[in-house]
Amino acid sequence: MQLDLSVDRSSPVPLYFQLSQQLEAAIERGTLTPGSLLGNEIELAARLGLSRPTVRQAIQSLVDKGLLVRRRGVGTQVVHSQVKRPLELSSLYDDLEAAGQRPATRVLVNTVVPASPEVAAALGVAEGSDVHRVERLRLAHGEPMAYLINHLPPGLLDLDTAQLEATGLYRLMRAAGITLHSARQSIGARGATAAEAERLMEEQGAPLLTMQRTTFDDTGRAVEFGDHTYRPSRYSFEFQLLVRS
Amino acid sequence: MQLDLSVDRSSPVPLYFQLSQQLEAAIERGTLTPGSLLGNEIELAARLGLSRPTVRQAIQSLVDKGLLVRRRGVGTQVVHSQVKRPLELSSLYDDLEAAGQRPATRVLVNTVVPASPEVAAALGVAEGSDVHRVERLRLAHGEPMAYLINHLPPGLLDLDTAQLEATGLYRLMRAAGITLHSARQSIGARGATAAEAERLMEEQGAPLLTMQRTTFDDTGRAVEFGDHTYRPSRYSFEFQLLVRS
DNA sequence: GTAGTTCGATTGTCCGGACATACGCATTGA
DNA sequence: TCAATGCGTATGTCCGGACAATCGAACTAC
């Protein structure tokens, strides 16, 4: 069966976006089977009453997502593999919620402290100047899963403990109008210290998964510096990444 | 000082690519300072004798890389933060070499084995069918750094031990004409088993950083399944990621 | 039978233009 | 003084067309 595509020119949604969404839905649904050709752009454009650049823009966005592959002289094919999450900058909270785990958060510290040298360097503020410090214990199914320490520059966000327990830090930032842009991450492992072990209900020296992250907004400001420890039996970093070409 | 940009129309290199490379170089060099406006597209196009779509294509590619930010009604600005590696699918070998560590590889196993259930599922082959198995010890400065176990489907590549010791697996694949497309990764941690501990010169139960990865080519075939363990004192995963918008 | 050639198909690149939309700022009004 | 309005500017979207580059397959010649 042919795919029935259509665009609504009266909609404020861009035409290329309407098209790319329909194509993506068709791929997701299985109407467009992996490996199948998409049909050439010219004819597709004519069929929809669109110009070729518009159709190309729609297709290109799906190529960037890794769903399609174009080959000159051949055509555009649906990629065969199962593409899922292309590693977006997501919060642990969102990850857990997406996995249907109904995460719980216990805010243990929410205060203002002088910046340590490490924090000051990461956030780009003066050493000893005031920064927010938040420590949270993230639980799933009543069991501790991760211990999250975050530092934020002052005046960026008023951190309400109740809100922090109800949702993730990134959501609060986005809601406050902060446009997240990029983050530098470092993932490692180490043995748990006595304090860490107690917080996560592990034994001292037990292997922990660690992640340090500095997040920047689109003006280049550091908006968050996180130092997280995860129980490896409960959590691992899963993601899909694409080859930049 | 104004930026001196120019394009060579006789070159086979696409014009938009020439432009984006020059802009990227100028950002890298510091000629285009963070936060500075890039000047509007129309005028830039006129100055270079290019059309606006071509200039837009060049700028867009840098936006996708996270180097620029566009704001409607405002202009295009250079991002202020230090963007480095947007997490490409790279081999450990390339990573180490880029860090100037002159990695050494010792191939311990290079043979054909029947596929275990886990390997068969990852590679999409029948359980018990022949697959290549490679075990390598990666060293830096004479010290073991990671233990790499890889399985490959048969007939894809003839794995020469000498070549494996001289370069990375991904390079061999690319050289064999395989177009890498995407990979699913899982990063975790666990205590070292007795065998792992001995291989990496650690003690039993010492925390190890682990990574499992299945790599796909652009036809969706699984071309590699890797099960790696790293010494966390010697290695951690460092990368930068962008917010998909 | 095999190697080289030609040719159709399809995407890649590029152009010049048009109108829409959103942001920042100055002006205007209460 | 402060909020609402209007305007200039820049990017966002879209069009229709042209030619080049590349791939695969059919065809041809040896």
Side-chain angles (χ1 to χ4, degrees):
Chain A
M1 181 210 117
Q2 267 295 22
L3 202 55
D4 60 330
L5 297 166
S6 62
V7 291
D8 175 11
R9 301 194 88 93
S10 67
S11 163
V13 177
L15 300 177
Y16 77 90
F17 193 75
Q18 292 183 35
L19 178 54
S20 70
Q21 278 196 322
Q22 289 182 39
L23 289 174
E24 186 169 359
I27 294 170
E28 195 75 27
R29 197 171 53 233
T31 309
L32 280 174
T33 56
S36 65
L37 273 306
L38 196 56
N40 73 45
E41 303 169 350
I42 312 274
E43 196 244 338
L44 187 56
R47 187 145 62 92
L48 289 167
L50 296 173
S51 70
R52 190 178 162 219
T54 302
V55 173
R56 276 183 68 78
Q57 193 173 359
I59 292 176
Q60 188 59 47
S61 72
L62 297 182
V63 172
D64 291 340
K65 279 191 181 179
L67 294 171
L68 298 177
V69 176
R70 316 174 86 147
R71 259 188 258 263
R72 193 187 296 202
V74 179
T76 306
Q77 299 182 45
V78 180
V79 166
H80 195 276
S81 71
Q82 60 287 13
V83 177
K84 285 179 185 171
R85 273 190 308 170
L87 181 57
E88 56 198 71
L89 179 55
S90 62
S91 69
L92 174 58
Y93 187 89
D94 292 338
D95 282 353
L96 293 174
E97 197 175 55
Q101 299 228 21
R102 280 182 293 107
T105 306
R106 201 175 299 157
V107 176
L108 301 177
V109 174
N110 182 4
T111 182
V112 173
V113 298
S116 69
E118 187 187 32
V119 169
L123 292 181
V125 301
E127 199 176 320
S129 68
D130 283 353
V131 292
H132 287 286
R133 180 188 179 93
V134 178
E135 295 188 29
R136 294 170 294 169
L137 186 66
R138 189 83 86 202
L139 308 101
H141 304 121
E143 288 243 349
M145 178 171 232
Y147 195 80
L148 316 173
I149 302 177
N150 289 88
H151 288 88
L152 285 79
L156 195 70
L157 199 61
D158 53 332
L159 291 162
D160 182 64
T161 295
Q163 283 187 313
L164 277 171
E165 302 210 326
T167 184
L169 182 57
Y170 278 12
R171 279 199 204 168
L172 291 177
M173 287 206 205
R174 278 191 253 257
I178 298 171
T179 308
L180 268 28
H181 177 261
S182 62
R184 288 196 63 80
Q185 289 192 339
S186 176
I187 297 175
R190 66 160 184 267
T193 65
E196 287 171 337
E198 194 196 332
R199 295 192 291 228
L200 290 173
M201 292 175 56
E202 292 273 350
E203 305 208 344
Q204 188 174 344
L208 294 182
L209 191 58
T210 66
M211 193 254 288
Q212 281 202 341
R213 171 163 66 185
T214 309
T215 310
F216 302 91
D217 73 357
D218 58 0
T219 69
R221 268 186 321 181
V223 295
E224 177 251 347
F225 173 65
D227 199 335
H228 302 175
T229 51
Y230 303 85
R231 297 177 76 182
S233 59
R234 307 280 161 161
Y235 188 76
S236 60
F237 293 95
E238 313 249 357
F239 51 85
Q240 176 138 3
L241 52 84
L242 303 174
V243 176
R244 62 158 204 168
S245 53
Chain B
M1 180 211 117
Q2 267 296 18
L3 202 57
D4 60 330
L5 298 166
S6 62
V7 291
D8 175 11
R9 299 194 88 95
S10 66
S11 162
V13 177
L15 300 178
Y16 78 90
F17 193 74
Q18 292 183 37
L19 177 54
S20 70
Q21 277 197 321
Q22 288 181 39
L23 290 174
E24 186 170 0
I27 294 170
E28 195 75 28
R29 197 171 54 232
T31 309
L32 280 174
T33 57
S36 64
L37 273 304
L38 196 57
N40 72 44
E41 304 169 350
I42 312 274
E43 197 244 338
L44 187 56
R47 188 145 63 89
L48 288 168
L50 297 173
S51 71
R52 190 178 162 218
T54 303
V55 172
R56 277 183 67 79
Q57 194 173 358
I59 292 176
Q60 187 59 47
S61 72
L62 296 182
V63 171
D64 291 340
K65 279 191 180 179
L67 294 171
L68 297 177
V69 176
R70 315 174 86 146
R71 260 186 257 263
R72 196 188 298 207
V74 178
T76 305
Q77 299 183 45
V78 180
V79 166
H80 197 275
S81 71
Q82 60 288 11
V83 177
K84 285 178 185 171
R85 269 193 309 170
L87 182 58
E88 54 199 72
L89 179 55
S90 61
S91 69
L92 173 59
Y93 187 89
D94 292 338
D95 283 352
L96 293 175
E97 196 175 56
Q101 297 227 21
R102 282 184 292 106
T105 306
R106 200 176 300 157
V107 175
L108 302 178
V109 174
N110 183 3
T111 182
V112 173
V113 299
S116 69
E118 187 187 30
V119 169
L123 292 181
V125 300
E127 199 176 320
S129 67
D130 282 354
V131 291
H132 287 287
R133 179 187 180 95
V134 178
E135 295 187 29
R136 294 169 295 167
L137 185 68
R138 189 84 86 202
L139 307 102
H141 303 123
E143 287 242 350
M145 179 171 231
Y147 195 80
L148 316 173
I149 303 177
N150 289 89
H151 288 88
L152 285 80
L156 195 69
L157 198 62
D158 52 334
L159 291 162
D160 182 64
T161 297
Q163 283 187 314
L164 278 171
E165 301 209 328
T167 184
L169 183 57
Y170 278 13
R171 279 200 204 168
L172 290 178
M173 287 203 200
R174 277 191 252 258
I178 298 171
T179 308
L180 267 29
H181 177 262
S182 63
R184 288 196 64 78
Q185 290 192 338
S186 177
I187 297 176
R190 67 159 184 267
T193 65
E196 286 171 337
E198 194 195 331
R199 295 192 291 228
L200 291 172
M201 290 174 55
E202 292 274 352
E203 305 207 344
Q204 187 173 345
L208 293 183
L209 191 57
T210 66
M211 194 254 288
Q212 281 202 342
R213 171 164 64 186
T214 310
T215 310
F216 303 91
D217 72 358
D218 58 0
T219 69
R221 268 187 320 182
V223 293
E224 178 251 344
F225 172 65
D227 198 334
H228 302 175
T229 51
Y230 304 85
R231 297 176 76 183
S233 60
R234 308 279 161 163
Y235 189 76
S236 60
F237 292 95
E238 312 249 355
F239 51 86
Q240 176 137 5
L241 52 83
L242 303 174
V243 177
R244 61 158 204 168
S245 53

